[in-house]
Amino acid sequence: MLLPPWHMLAEPARRLTESFSAVHLRLPAESAELRRARDEVAAAGKEFGLEHKACYELVFAVNEAVTNAIRHGSPAPDGTIGLRIEADGDDLVCHVSDCGPFLPPRRKRNMATEEGGRGFAFMSALTDQMELNVEADRTVIELRKRRGERVLVADA
Amino acid sequence: MGFLEVSDDTLEDGVRILRVSGDVDFDVAPELKQRIVGRVEAGDRKLIIDLSAVGFIDSTAIGVLVAALKRLRDAGGSLMVVCDNEDVRSIFATVGLESVIPLHRSDEDAFAALAHAG
C-alpha cells in the first residue's frame, strides 16, 4: 500500500486550524446573554471540527463558566464579561473572564441533595483541561476541548 | 428573567405532569422552580417533569430538579423526570446524577414508576 508523505497526513488538521477565526466577545453580564454565549461556542466548535458530543460538552462547560461570571464575578466597568474562543493546535480553547476576585465555592457539597454547587464538577468533567487563572483584578477560566483524530481514507 | 414554556396537565391518580420546552438555563431556571414549588404548595405529591422538548439544561436547572425531588420526598411524594435526549441524559450521568434523579424515556414509563412508588 502506498501511503502519502507524513506532511500530507497532517495537512487537513492544519488547514482547519488556519482557517479558524478566533472569536473575541464582550457580553453584557446578564443571564439573557447565556444563549448567545452557547450559540457562539457551538458555532466555533462546529467550524473547528469538534464532534457533536465534544461540542455539546464544551458548550455546557462554557455556559457554566459564563453563568458563574454573571452570578459571582464582577463585570468590567462597561458592564461586560469576556468570552474568547481560539484554536491551539487540536484544542479549541475558551476563556471566560470577569474583573472580580475569585470566590471559591463554599464547603463541600452533597451532590445528591443540594441545589447548587455543581458548576466546577461539570466544567472539569466535561473538558480535556480546565485552568483557573486568578489575578488581583481578574478571574479567567480556561476550558479546552480536543478534536478527535482524523482518520485517513486512502484513495482507491 | 427569561421566558420558559411549561404546560401542565393532570393525569390519572392525581399525577401532575409539567411539560417543559426550550433551553433551561440560569435565565429561566428560577421560573421552573416557581412552577414546581407552586404545584407542590397546591397539594400535588406525584409529579412528572417532562423534558422531552428540552435540548439543553444547565447545572442550576438540574439543581432545581434535585431540590424539587427532596421537597416532594420530604412531603411524602415522588418526582420522576422524562428525558429521551442522549445529550441531556449524558450530562446527568457525568456527575453521577442518574442515580439521584430517575430518568425515564417516556411519560408512560414515568407514570408506571410513580404508581409503583405508591
Side-chain angles (χ1 to χ4, degrees):
Chain A
M1 188 169 64
L2 191 65
L3 280 174
W6 286 109
H7 74 271
M8 283 184 69
L9 287 177
E11 189 66 9
R14 194 160 59 84
R15 223 177 20 237
L16 262 171
T17 301
E18 281 167 1
S19 73
F20 179 82
S21 29
V23 179
H24 292 237
L25 286 173
R26 300 296 315 174
L27 298 171
E30 296 159 9
S31 57
E33 294 293 318
L34 285 163
R35 173 178 293 277
R36 186 175 166 211
R38 291 196 297 274
D39 288 347
E40 292 283 351
V41 176
K46 201 173 169 194
E47 188 191 340
F48 185 68
L50 289 183
E51 286 164 17
H52 171 82
K53 190 170 196 292
C55 193
Y56 190 90
E57 290 174 346
L58 183 63
V59 167
F60 190 101
V62 173
N63 181 79
E64 292 297 316
V66 174
T67 301
N68 276 352
I70 291 170
R71 292 180 78 178
H72 311 297
S74 310
D78 67 354
T80 63
I81 55 164
L83 172 60
R84 214 169 81 221
I85 311 168
E86 51 199 24
D88 178 13
D90 276 331
D91 288 354
L92 190 62
V93 191
C94 298
H95 300 88
V96 177
S97 58
D98 71 72
C99 295
F102 175 65
L103 302 173
R106 288 196 289 124
R107 61 190 172 75
K108 204 173 170 202
R109 309 266 200 151
N110 181 345
M111 299 269 271
T113 55
E114 289 200 43
E115 188 166 338
R118 292 181 188 82
F120 275 94
F122 272 119
M123 283 189 266
S124 157
L126 295 171
T127 55
D128 288 308
Q129 197 182 314
M130 174 179 83
E131 212 175 291
L132 176 65
N133 295 307
V134 182
E135 294 158 31
D137 55 354
R138 222 162 82 98
T139 297
V140 185
I141 299 249
E142 184 185 295
L143 299 160
R144 283 177 178 262
K145 201 75 176 173
R146 202 152 301 138
R147 63 182 164 201
E149 301 279 321
R150 253 146 246 286
V151 179
L152 179 82
V153 181
D155 288 334
Chain B
M1 196 192 285
F3 179 71
L4 179 74
E5 271 186 69
V6 184
S7 69
D8 72 272
D9 247 327
T10 314
L11 306 178
E12 295 162 56
D13 304 327
V15 174
R16 174 78 58 168
I17 182 162
L18 298 184
R19 294 192 175 89
V20 187
S21 59
D23 283 10
V24 197
D25 60 11
F26 175 60
D27 196 34
V28 296
E31 208 176 320
L32 177 62
K33 183 176 183 172
Q34 249 174 29
R35 292 294 293 262
I36 296 174
V37 169
R39 289 320 320 168
V40 178
E41 281 175 354
D44 288 336
R45 291 293 175 267
K46 292 177 179 181
L47 219 57
I48 297 175
I49 312 285
D50 185 346
L51 302 177
S52 297
V54 169
F56 182 88
I57 179 169
D58 81 340
S59 77
T60 46
I62 289 173
V64 166
L65 296 179
V66 171
L69 182 83
K70 188 172 183 300
R71 181 183 286 262
L72 271 163
R73 281 194 181 152
D74 290 351
S78 33
L79 173 123
M80 302 289 161
V81 175
V82 177
C83 174
D84 200 30
N85 180 312
E86 291 306 326
D87 292 328
V88 177
R89 290 181 75 99
S90 78
I91 290 297
F92 277 86
T94 297
V95 290
L97 278 169
E98 79 280 22
S99 60
V100 178
I101 300 181
L103 293 182
H104 299 276
R105 295 271 180 191
S106 68
D107 292 356
E108 292 73 26
D109 286 358
F111 187 82
L114 270 182
H116 195 69

